[in-house]
Amino acid sequence: MTKRRTQIYRKFLESDFVFGNSNGYRVPLSMNGQRKHDEPENGLALCDLSAMNRVGYKGADVDTWCESQHGIACPPVNHSALTKNGLLVVRLSSTELLMLEDLDATPDFEMILEEVPAVSLLPRQDSHHVFMLLGQHCASMFSKLCAVDLRYHKFKEMHVAQTIMARVSVIVVRCDMEQTPAYYVLVDSSLAEYLWDSILDAMHEFEGRVVGRNDLAGGGLTVAGER
Amino acid sequence: MRLDYPYGLYLERDKTISFQFDGQVYKGFEGDTIASALVANRVKLISRSFKYHRPRGILSMAGQDGNSLVQVDDEPNVRADSRAIEEGMVVTAQNVIGKLHNDRGRVVELFSRFLPVGFYYKAFYKPRGAWRYWEPVIRRMAGLGKVDLRSQSDYTDKQYRFADVAVIGGGPAGMSAALEAAENGAEVLLIDENPILGGSLNYARFNEDRGEIQTTAGELIRAAKRHSGIEVLTNAQCTGWFDDNWLSILTNRRLLKLRSQSVVVASGSFEQPAVFRNNDLPGVMLGSAAQRLLRLYGVKPGQRAVVMTGNSDGYGVALDLFEAGVEVASVIEMRKGLPDCELTQAVMRREIEIICNSTIHEAVSGPGKRSIKGVTVAAIDGDARLARASREISCDLLCMSVGYSPAAQLLCHSGGRMIYDEHTSMLKVAALPRHGGGERAVIAGSLNAVFDLQAVIVDGKHAGWAAADMAGFNRKTEPALPEPRAAAGQNYSWPIAAHPEGKEFVDYDEDLQIKDIEQSVAEGYDNLELVKRYATVVMGPSQGRQSALNNLRIATKAAGRSLQGLSVTTQRPPFHPEPIQLLAGRSFQPVRRTAIHHRHLELGAEMMPAGDWLRPAYYGDPALRTQLIEQEALAIRNRVGLIDVSTLGKLEVCGPDAAEFMNRMYTFAYLKQPVGRLRYVLKTDETGVITDDGIAARFGDDRFYVSTTTGGSDTVYRSMLLWRARWCLDVDITNVTSAYSAISIAGPLSRKVLQKMPQDMDLRAKAFPYLEARCGKLSDVPVRLLRVGFVGELGWEIHVPSSQAEFLWDVLLEAGKELACKPVGVEAQRLLRLEKGHIIVGQDTDGLTVPQEAAMSWAIAKKKPFHIGKRSCEILSAKEQTRCLVGFSLPAESRMPEESNLTLSGNDIAGRVTSVAYSPALRQTIGLAYVRPEQGDVGNHFEIKLSDGERIRAEIVELPFYDRENARQAV
C-alpha cells in the first residue's frame, strides 16, 4: 500500500477497477469492461482525482506572481485559466489562488512549489479532495445538491463557484473535456466521503457511474458529450 | 353515467382500474380521480363533515375543497377529486363513526343548538384542569384521517430549479404569457397543477361554439410544448412564494425550489358557492365542478339538474349539461332580467326554463340527506330579502354559478393584497409583491379580473412581455393591453339566502352557518381576523377558498360596515397541502471523518459524535464498555497508546505581525515565545468569557501553528479573520484543520516507539523537552511533532498531512506492537485529562464562565496591554466571585453522580458537576464541579444532589488528582 491515500480509496477496493500508482497514491485507473460512450445511459460520470497535484497560494501580489511565473494574466475572481504548461489556475479571491495539475498535462509540480514563497503556500493537496463530474446530466444532478445555477449556458467554461453542495462548502470549477461538460469539485478532505456518497445518490436517477482516471484522459472518455 | 369521447379528456378508456371505496370494489379508467370514478359508479356520498358529520359529496372537483377528503391506504386527507385512482387502491371515508352510509356521528347535529360558535372556548376551560379530560374526547370526535405510525417512509428529494420567467398556471392566460416571454428570449418554466395544459379551456364554456374553444386550446398547448424556450411542468403545484422569487413547487416525489427573475401568476379564480339551506349536501356542486366531470372525466354528474346562476357562465353550465344528456329542469337566474349574451340565447333556444329574480331557498334532501331530491325556489324581494318559497323543483343535481374569487394566495404570501370592490362584487388584486426593490410579478387572466377568452389571451400576452422585460429580455415591442372590460356581471352581489331553519353553510370545512358568523360579530369579534379565530371560519382544509368571500360579506354586513376596500384575512403558505415527506425530502447531514476513520472501524471502534465529527469512543464490545475504557486509560498510564486527535482545529497564523496578532487574540503572552516552543492558548471573548483553548507552536518569527478545540475551529477561524480586519495587521490566517491529521502518542514507552521508527529528530529529553515543537520526518513522512501533556504522560502530538495519516497510524501501531501499544478512544482520553485536572472548554465551562471561575487565571498575562476580553476580565476580577471550579473525590462506597448534577450549599444551588469518572489509576471516583467560593478550600465538603434526589457528600481535593508534581510528562 502506498503512503498517500485518499479518504475514499476503500470504496474502490471491492470494485472491478484496475489500479496504478500516481503521485504517491494508489489510484483506480479504469474499470474492467467499462461500457463505451455510445451507450445512451453513459451520461454522467464521477471520478476521484484526489491524487492530482494541487496547491494554494495566498498573498497580496498574486497578479504579479501569476504573470511572471506562469506567463498568463491572473484570471478574475471566481474564474480560472490554463497555463501553457498545463496548470489550472483558479482565482478564489483577490489574494488567493488555487492551482491544479491539468489532466492532460503534467507540469513540474515540485518546481512550481519551489517558486512560491513558503509563507504563502496553502496545503490544498491534503486539505481538499478533488472530484470530477462530467457528462450531459451534470447540471441536473448538481441541481439536487446545490442552489447555484450550474447549468451549461449559465455557468460557462472556466467559471468558478465557491458554494454549498449537500450542505458542505465546495469549490466548483467548470473545465470541459473537449465537448463534454466537466466540473472539478473540491471539498474539505474530512467531508470527502460524505460528499462522494451524496453525489452517488444524486447520480442514481441519471444512471451515473464511477470511472477511473484513465477513463477520462487520452480520448478514453466514456460519457456522452452532448450539451 | 359515462359519456363517450370527446368527453373525458383525461381518460385512457382502454385501461380499466379497480379500487375499493368504503369496502366496495369499483372500476374506473386510467385518468379518473377517486371522485370521478365514484360518480361514474353513481356514488355521490364521499365524506362526512367535520363537526356535524353531515353527508358531503363533490363541491369543486378541483382539489380545492375539504368535502372530498378521504384516506387512501395509510395516507390520510387525500383529496378524492384530484388523486388519480390506482389498481388495488383502498379508499376509506374519514371522520366516520361506523359506516359512511350510516354514520353514528350524525347524532351530533341533533345537539347543534347547544353547540354555538365559540363553544370550545366557552365550555371546556373550567373547572380548572377539565381540558385534559375533554381533549382526548374531542380529538377522537374531530378525526381527519389516521396516520399509520408503522408506515415506511419513501425516498423523496428536493431539487433547485432556475428560470428567467416562472408562469404559474397553464390556462389560456398562462400559456399566452409563457409564449410571449419565451419569444422575447426568456427561459420560461410553465407550471400547472393539472395533468395536461389548458386550464379552463379544457372544461369551461366560453361561448356556444365549443369547437372554437378546442381549436384555441389545441393551438396554445401545441405552441407552448414545442417552444424551445418553455419547459412545461404539469402535475406540479406551486405552494409558496417567498423572498426574491423563491417558489416552492410540489411534484409527485420531489419538492422543487425554483428561483426566477420574474413571475407571471395566472392561477385563475375559484368559483364560489351560494349560501342557502342544505347547500352542502351531495348533489349540490359548483357549475365548474359539473363541467369538469363532463369534459375531463366523461361523467354525467346527475340525471335532472337545476342551475342556479348570477352570471353568464351558469348558462354555459346548463348548455353543457343539456348537450351531455342531462335533463335541465330550470335555470334559476338571480338577476332581475335576462342577460343579453350568446350563452343565454343558446339556452333559450333549447327551451330550458329560466326563472329570473329568484334564488334557491333550500335544497330538499333525499333519504339520510345523502342526496337531494329537489330544490325550493324563492323570489328575491328588493335588497337581498327573500319572498316566501313559492315553488319546488325536483332534481338530483344543483349547480351553482354565482361568482368567483381570485386565486391570489401566492401573491399574498409575498406581499400582495386583495380588496373587495363593490362595483364588481369581487375581491380584486390591489397590490403585487415587490422583491429586490422592484416589480417582479405580473398577473393575468381571471386573477386579473379578465374573463372574456380573447381578452384573457391578450392579457396573458402582455403579462408575458412585461415579465420578460422585468427579467431583462425585451426583443419585441410591448403588445397591446386588452380592451378594458369591466368584470361586473361575473359575481352576483349577495348570493346568500338565510333560512329560518338555518343549515346554510358559509364554511363547509368547519360546518359554520350564517348565524355563526353573525353571532361572532354580535359577541364583539367584529374584526375579520377575530371572526376567523373565534368562529374558525376559513381555517379548515380548504383555507377559505369557498368561504372567505361570503364570510367577508356576512361579517361586514353584520358589523354594519361598508364592504368597499375591505380585505380578507391573512394568507400564508402553503397554498396546497404539503406532504411532510416531501418537505423532509432527502436531508443532508454532513459527517466529518478523520483520515484514520476506517482504520478505527477495522480495529473495532465504537464511534461517537464530536461536533460534526465521528471519533472512536473506545475499541471493542460495547457490552464491555467500562472495562475497555479503563484498560485503554491504564495502557497510557503504564505503557503507551495512540489517540486520533485529528479533529482538533488547526490554524496557520503567518506574517510579520503574527506574534502581535496572537498576543491580542489570546490571553497569554506570545511576543517573546521562542521559536520551537509551545504555549497554551486561552481565548476569551469581549465579555471575558472563555470560548476556546489549545496550544500554539511557534515555527518561525512570523509563523504560528495553533490548535483549537474540536468544535471551535471554524468559530476561532472566523473570529481571527474578523479581528485581523479590524486591527489591520499584516498576517495571513489559514484553516488547515483537514489538511493535517494528528495522532497523540502518550505513555511512558512512547519515546521508545518513536525511536524504533526511521526518523530524523533527536527525541531525547534534553534535545526535545516538554512543550517544544519540531518539524521532521517519521518513516519518511513529513511531520510536526508537538511535545504536550494533555493526558499527563510523556507524549507527543504528531501532526501529519492527512493523506499520509493512515499510513503513519499503521506504522506507529506496528512499531509499538512489542510494547503493547493500544489504540485509545476519546472516553479514556477524557478520563486521563480529568486525572490531570485539565478542563475541556464547553464541558467544564459554559457560556458565562470567566477564567478566574475556572481556575485559569494563571493563563492570563497580566502585564501585556491588551487581549480580547482583558478589560472585562479585570472588571470581573475586581468583583466578588460567585462560583469556582474545584476538584472533588468521593468515598469508595458513594454512588456515582452524573455530569450536570447540582452541587449544593445548604439547600441552595451552588453549581453543577462538570466532569466525573472513576479513575482506575487512583482507584476512586473523581470529578470537577462548580461550588460557591466560600466552599472551595481543599478539604471542605459539599453536597451533590443526584438525579433521583439523593444527596451525597464530596470532598474538595487539590488538583491535579494524578502526578501532582507533573513529573511524568516532563521525562
Side-chain angles (χ1 to χ4, degrees):
Chain A
M1 199 64 195
T2 52
K3 280 184 190 169
R4 289 171 137 185
R5 295 159 200 183
T6 74
Q7 294 246 28
I8 56 168
Y9 78 91
R10 280 176 172 79
K11 294 186 180 293
F12 299 96
L13 296 181
E14 293 178 3
S15 305
D16 192 15
F17 271 95
V18 176
F19 286 85
N21 290 343
S22 171
N23 202 22
Y25 296 82
R26 187 158 176 78
V27 295
L29 296 176
S30 62
M31 186 176 260
N32 279 326
Q34 187 71 277
R35 289 172 299 191
K36 292 302 171 190
H37 64 281
D38 55 352
E39 293 178 16
E41 69 268 29
N42 296 341
L44 182 59
L46 170 65
C47 183
D48 177 24
L49 295 177
S50 301
M52 196 166 77
N53 280 317
R54 58 197 171 278
V55 72
Y57 175 71
K58 205 171 192 177
D61 58 343
V62 286
D63 289 278
T64 316
W65 178 81
C66 190
E67 192 153 0
S68 64
Q69 296 298 319
H70 299 290
I72 60 164
C74 201
V77 172
N78 285 330
H79 287 72
S80 60
L82 272 170
T83 66
K84 276 180 281 186
N85 60 352
L87 194 68
L88 183 64
V89 180
V90 180
R91 183 78 177 264
L92 297 177
S93 74
S94 59
T95 59
E96 187 174 348
L97 295 177
L98 164 71
M99 283 162 283
L100 274 89
E101 173 189 42
D102 186 67
L103 272 176
D104 296 328
T106 311
D108 187 345
F109 220 77
E110 293 300 323
M111 190 189 79
I112 290 164
L113 295 185
E114 285 170 13
E115 291 166 1
V116 182
V119 69
S120 301
L121 270 179
L122 301 178
R124 297 286 188 189
Q125 187 74 37
D126 289 280
S127 69
H128 283 70
H129 274 46
V130 184
F131 303 148
M132 174 169 268
L133 280 135
L134 70 166
Q136 60 180 321
H137 294 308
C138 274
S140 300
M141 191 282 296
F142 279 133
S143 70
K144 295 169 69 177
L145 303 172
C146 178
V148 171
D149 191 351
L150 296 173
R151 290 176 300 164
Y152 315 123
H153 60 292
K154 297 285 183 180
F155 188 70
K156 307 275 178 163
E157 194 170 4
M158 307 311 275
H159 279 205
V160 176
Q162 298 176 67
T163 181
I164 303 292
M165 195 171 280
R167 287 186 62 202
V168 300
S169 296
V170 291
I171 301 165
V172 182
V173 185
R174 181 167 169 201
C175 192
D176 289 356
M177 301 193 71
E178 297 178 355
Q179 292 302 304
T180 303
Y183 300 77
Y184 289 109
V185 177
L186 285 93
V187 61
D188 183 290
S189 291
S190 66
L191 291 157
E193 186 175 352
Y194 160 78
L195 186 66
W196 180 269
D197 290 342
S198 299
I199 291 172
L200 281 184
D201 181 85
M203 287 170 65
H204 186 70
E205 76 172 275
F206 306 104
E207 299 186 19
R209 60 207 163 82
V210 176
V211 298
R213 179 171 175 157
N214 285 359
D215 297 322
L216 304 176
L221 206 63
T222 57
V223 291
E226 185 185 338
R227 294 187 203 189
Chain B
M1 300 291 275
R2 283 288 185 188
L3 298 161
D4 293 334
Y5 186 81
Y7 292 105
L9 184 64
Y10 288 174
L11 300 184
E12 294 283 341
R13 295 181 195 247
D14 53 348
K15 293 177 186 166
T16 305
I17 290 174
S18 297
F19 68 103
Q20 269 190 46
F21 176 67
D22 205 29
Q24 295 283 317
V25 176
Y26 297 98
K27 283 187 168 31
F29 295 122
E30 186 172 302
D32 259 323
T33 63
I34 296 165
S36 68
L38 288 175
V39 177
N41 285 279
R42 299 178 187 276
V43 176
K44 288 186 175 178
L45 174 61
I46 294 177
S47 67
R48 293 280 175 171
S49 70
F50 180 69
K51 192 157 121 189
Y52 298 138
H53 291 240
R54 285 174 66 89
R56 292 281 164 81
I58 285 172
L59 177 64
S60 70
M61 200 53 214
Q64 302 292 355
D65 63 88
N67 274 15
S68 66
L69 295 183
V70 292
Q71 177 111 9
V72 174
D73 300 317
D74 60 0
E75 183 182 356
N77 300 320
V78 174
R79 288 162 197 246
D81 56 351
S82 60
R83 173 64 64 87
I85 55 170
E86 292 170 29
E87 187 64 40
M89 177 186 264
V90 177
V91 184
T92 48
Q94 298 184 164
N95 200 33
V96 167
I97 304 173
K99 286 282 185 188
L100 175 63
H101 265 69
N102 189 21
D103 179 7
R104 294 197 298 277
R106 287 288 289 123
V107 73
V108 177
E109 191 175 9
L110 299 177
F111 300 96
S112 61
R113 59 185 300 193
F114 304 112
L115 303 170
V117 66
F119 171 70
Y120 296 100
Y121 304 123
K122 293 167 183 166
F124 302 115
Y125 73 99
K126 58 185 181 181
R128 188 182 174 85
W131 174 246
R132 91 175 104 132
Y133 299 104
W134 281 110
E135 187 184 3
V137 177
I138 292 167
R139 285 198 183 280
R140 268 202 305 278
M141 293 288 289
L144 278 176
K146 289 186 175 62
V147 174
D148 183 356
L149 298 175
R150 296 165 304 172
S151 64
Q152 298 294 308
S153 58
D154 291 335
Y155 184 97
T156 58
D157 65 4
K158 299 170 189 170
Q159 187 174 33
Y160 294 95
R161 299 297 291 268
F162 311 94
D164 300 319
V165 175
V167 179
I168 316 294
M175 288 190 290
S176 305
L179 283 164
E180 185 66 17
E183 285 296 308
N184 274 279
E187 193 178 39
V188 180
L189 193 61
L190 175 58
I191 301 140
D192 193 80
E193 63 183 352
N194 296 299
I196 58 175
L197 290 177
S200 58
L201 291 172
N202 291 334
Y203 62 87
R205 186 89 183 212
F206 290 91
N207 52 36
E208 186 178 2
D209 181 7
R210 173 122 188 104
E212 192 183 314
I213 308 297
Q214 286 171 320
T215 304
T216 303
E219 286 171 359
L220 282 172
I221 292 169
R222 273 193 299 278
K225 281 183 169 174
R226 286 177 182 168
H227 202 293
S228 60
I230 300 175
E231 183 185 354
V232 176
L233 271 183
T234 51
N235 284 320
Q237 297 167 327
C238 186
T239 61
W241 185 350
F242 305 94
D243 284 353
D244 301 319
N245 290 343
W246 192 107
L247 299 157
S248 56
I249 297 164
L250 292 185
T251 64
N252 186 28
R253 313 293 306 160
R254 182 170 280 171
L255 174 67
L256 303 180
K257 300 188 268 190
L258 171 64
R259 187 80 73 175
S260 69
Q261 296 295 313
S262 61
V263 183
V264 177
V265 185
S267 49
S269 307
F270 299 121
E271 190 160 33
Q272 296 296 295
V275 180
F276 53 87
R277 179 171 167 79
N278 287 340
N279 61 340
D280 62 328
L281 296 185
V284 182
M285 66 180 70
L286 301 173
S288 55
Q291 290 176 308
R292 282 186 164 98
L293 280 169
L294 292 169
R295 299 283 173 195
L296 305 180
Y297 303 103
V299 177
K300 275 195 215 176
Q303 300 297 325
R304 181 178 162 84
V306 169
V307 177
M308 173 195 195
T309 188
N311 57 27
S312 59
D313 292 342
Y315 294 91
V317 174
L319 208 54
D320 277 339
L321 290 167
F322 180 85
E323 290 177 357
V326 177
E327 183 186 350
V328 181
S330 293
V331 173
I332 310 300
E333 169 61 77
M334 303 180 84
R335 291 169 289 189
K336 284 183 179 167
L338 278 179
D340 181 19
C341 74
E342 183 185 343
L343 290 169
T344 311
Q345 299 298 327
V347 168
M348 289 173 69
R349 280 199 298 277
R350 285 158 179 82
E351 297 182 345
I352 296 171
E353 181 190 32
I354 303 172
I355 305 170
C356 290
N357 196 33
S358 297
T359 186
I360 302 296
H361 196 226
E362 177 184 0
V364 182
S365 60
K369 295 187 179 175
R370 292 189 289 267
S371 60
I372 60 168
K373 63 180 184 184
V375 294
T376 60
V377 181
I380 298 174
D381 180 16
D383 184 19
R385 285 175 296 163
L386 295 180
R388 192 176 174 81
S390 58
R391 183 175 166 190
E392 182 167 335
I393 303 171
S394 68
C395 64
D396 64 348
L397 172 67
L398 172 60
C399 297
M400 304 174 283
S401 293
V402 297
Y404 299 89
S405 186
Q409 281 80 352
L410 286 173
L411 300 170
C412 296
H413 292 173
S414 206
R417 200 161 63 89
M418 283 190 289
I419 59 169
Y420 193 84
D421 175 22
E422 281 198 325
H423 175 61
T424 57
S425 303
M426 270 184 167
L427 287 167
K428 68 175 187 182
V429 176
L432 291 174
R434 293 171 67 86
H435 293 298
E439 289 181 353
R440 291 288 175 189
V442 204
I443 57 174
S446 63
L447 178 65
N448 197 25
V450 179
F451 287 86
D452 174 78
L453 179 57
Q454 290 312 314
V456 163
I457 291 170
V458 173
D459 193 40
K461 195 171 176 183
H462 188 270
W465 176 87
D469 189 46
M470 289 170 186
F473 300 88
N474 49 9
R475 283 184 196 160
K476 296 168 68 178
T477 53
E478 182 176 359
L481 277 165
E483 289 291 319
R485 295 178 66 165
Q490 288 295 334
N491 275 24
Y492 185 72
S493 59
W494 193 259
I496 298 158
H499 193 282
E501 295 177 53
K503 299 294 183 286
E504 335 86 329
F505 289 94
V506 180
D507 188 311
Y508 293 73
D509 298 342
E510 305 280 332
D511 280 342
L512 291 165
Q513 307 162 55
I514 295 173
K515 68 174 184 183
D516 295 321
I517 308 302
E518 291 174 340
Q519 184 64 30
S520 300
V521 175
E523 291 186 27
Y525 301 99
D526 59 351
N527 174 288
L528 211 59
E529 292 285 356
L530 297 177
V531 174
K532 169 183 167 180
R533 282 155 183 81
Y534 187 62
T536 67
V537 64
V538 311
M539 290 174 74
S542 67
Q543 290 286 286
R545 285 165 170 79
Q546 287 86 27
S547 58
L549 179 56
N550 284 328
N551 176 54
L552 173 69
R553 287 166 170 157
I554 294 166
T556 307
K557 187 182 177 191
R561 300 197 181 110
S562 165
L563 276 164
Q564 181 64 33
L566 289 185
S567 187
V568 290
T569 53
T570 306
Q571 317 275 321
R572 297 183 179 87
F575 178 42
H576 290 275
E578 292 175 329
I580 290 172
Q581 69 169 8
L582 276 181
L583 291 183
R586 181 192 174 214
S587 61
F588 295 110
Q589 306 285 342
V591 177
R592 300 182 78 173
R593 295 178 176 94
T594 73
I596 315 166
H597 175 87
H598 289 280
R599 196 60 93 217
H600 298 316
L601 297 180
E602 287 155 6
L603 289 166
E606 189 68 17
M607 304 303 285
M608 61 181 274
D612 296 338
W613 295 86
L614 285 177
R615 297 190 69 185
Y618 54 90
Y619 296 81
D621 184 354
L624 305 171
R625 180 180 182 277
T626 306
Q627 293 112 291
L628 291 169
I629 292 168
E630 288 181 4
Q631 286 167 13
E632 289 174 12
L634 287 172
I636 284 187
R637 287 279 175 253
N638 299 327
R639 299 185 305 278
V640 58
L642 296 183
I643 310 172
D644 181 0
V645 292
S646 304
T647 58
L648 293 173
K650 303 162 208 91
L651 305 168
E652 296 264 20
V653 179
C654 305
D657 294 331
E660 176 62 27
F661 182 78
M662 290 292 295
N663 216 40
R664 296 186 192 186
M665 286 299 299
Y666 291 105
T667 59
F668 240 167
Y670 302 95
L671 288 176
K672 294 178 182 171
Q673 180 179 346
V675 172
R677 288 288 292 174
L678 298 175
R679 193 158 284 179
Y680 179 71
V681 293
L682 182 71
K683 188 172 180 301
T684 55
D685 65 12
E686 295 93 322
T687 65
V689 167
I690 295 171
T691 56
D692 204 78
D693 74 344
I695 49 169
R698 190 166 192 173
F699 283 121
D701 287 338
D702 55 358
R703 176 177 286 255
F704 287 83
Y705 179 66
V706 189
S707 71
T708 74
T709 58
T710 290
S713 63
D714 289 344
T715 314
V716 174
Y717 177 57
R718 276 198 301 271
S719 170
M720 283 187 171
L721 295 180
L722 174 73
W723 286 106
R724 179 192 62 173
R726 284 186 181 172
W727 295 331
C728 297
L729 291 177
D730 187 0
V731 61
D732 273 328
I733 302 146
T734 311
N735 189 341
V736 292
T737 299
S738 294
Y740 288 98
S741 293
I743 301 166
S744 172
I745 181 167
L749 303 180
S750 55
R751 184 180 281 122
K752 284 188 178 171
V753 174
L754 294 181
Q755 283 173 334
K756 286 179 74 177
M757 298 165 65
Q759 38 88 14
D760 59 1
M761 290 164 285
D762 187 348
L763 299 171
R764 290 173 300 172
K766 275 192 177 176
F768 197 160
Y770 183 56
L771 291 182
E772 294 246 327
R774 302 280 184 274
C775 292
K777 286 194 171 181
L778 273 178
S779 289
D780 208 28
V781 173
V783 294
R784 293 172 172 183
L785 244 59
L786 316 182
R787 194 165 162 202
V788 293
F790 188 54
V791 296
E793 297 291 344
L794 171 67
W796 286 265
E797 272 181 18
I798 306 167
H799 291 241
V800 52
S802 285
S803 60
Q804 299 175 69
E806 188 180 88
F807 169 79
L808 191 65
W809 173 272
D810 291 346
V811 173
L812 283 163
L813 266 187
E814 183 62 30
K817 204 170 181 178
E818 289 177 6
L819 303 168
C821 179
K822 274 179 78 74
V824 173
V826 178
E827 296 287 7
Q829 185 195 25
R830 288 181 179 174
L831 167 61
L832 294 166
R833 69 87 204 177
L834 176 60
E835 289 173 343
K836 289 299 295 176
H838 293 153
I839 65 163
I840 295 178
V841 173
Q843 175 166 329
D844 300 302
T845 67
D846 54 38
L848 295 171
T849 308
V850 294
Q852 54 269 38
E853 291 175 338
M856 298 297 290
S857 297
W858 61 268
I860 297 178
K862 306 285 189 305
K863 291 180 183 170
K864 70 179 185 181
F866 176 82
H867 66 80
I868 298 167
K870 179 179 172 65
R871 178 70 180 135
S872 298
C873 286
E874 288 170 350
I875 292 169
L876 291 166
S877 294
K879 288 187 171 180
E880 190 178 349
Q881 200 171 322
T882 57
R883 60 176 178 166
C884 62
L885 189 69
V886 295
F888 69 86
S889 65
L890 295 173
E893 70 282 3
S894 178
R895 289 175 64 192
M896 171 87 84
E898 293 176 279
E899 285 161 6
S900 291
N901 277 165
L902 297 178
T903 61
L904 302 174
S905 171
N907 285 326
D908 296 332
I909 296 170
R912 65 183 173 89
V913 175
T914 60
S915 298
V916 65
Y918 175 75
S919 164
L922 300 167
R923 297 178 186 279
Q924 68 177 150
T925 299
I926 56 170
L928 297 173
Y930 284 100
V931 296
R932 295 238 172 112
E934 61 271 21
Q935 295 176 292
D937 291 339
V938 171
N940 281 355
H941 288 80
F942 66 95
E943 283 190 320
I944 298 171
K945 188 176 180 183
L946 302 182
S947 299
D948 61 4
E950 185 187 337
R951 296 180 179 195
I952 58 172
R953 270 171 70 82
E955 181 185 353
I956 296 175
V957 297
E958 190 180 344
L959 291 174
F961 299 99
Y962 180 80
D963 183 24
R964 293 217 165 104
E965 296 74 33
N966 292 325
R968 295 177 68 88
Q969 61 206 32
V971 293

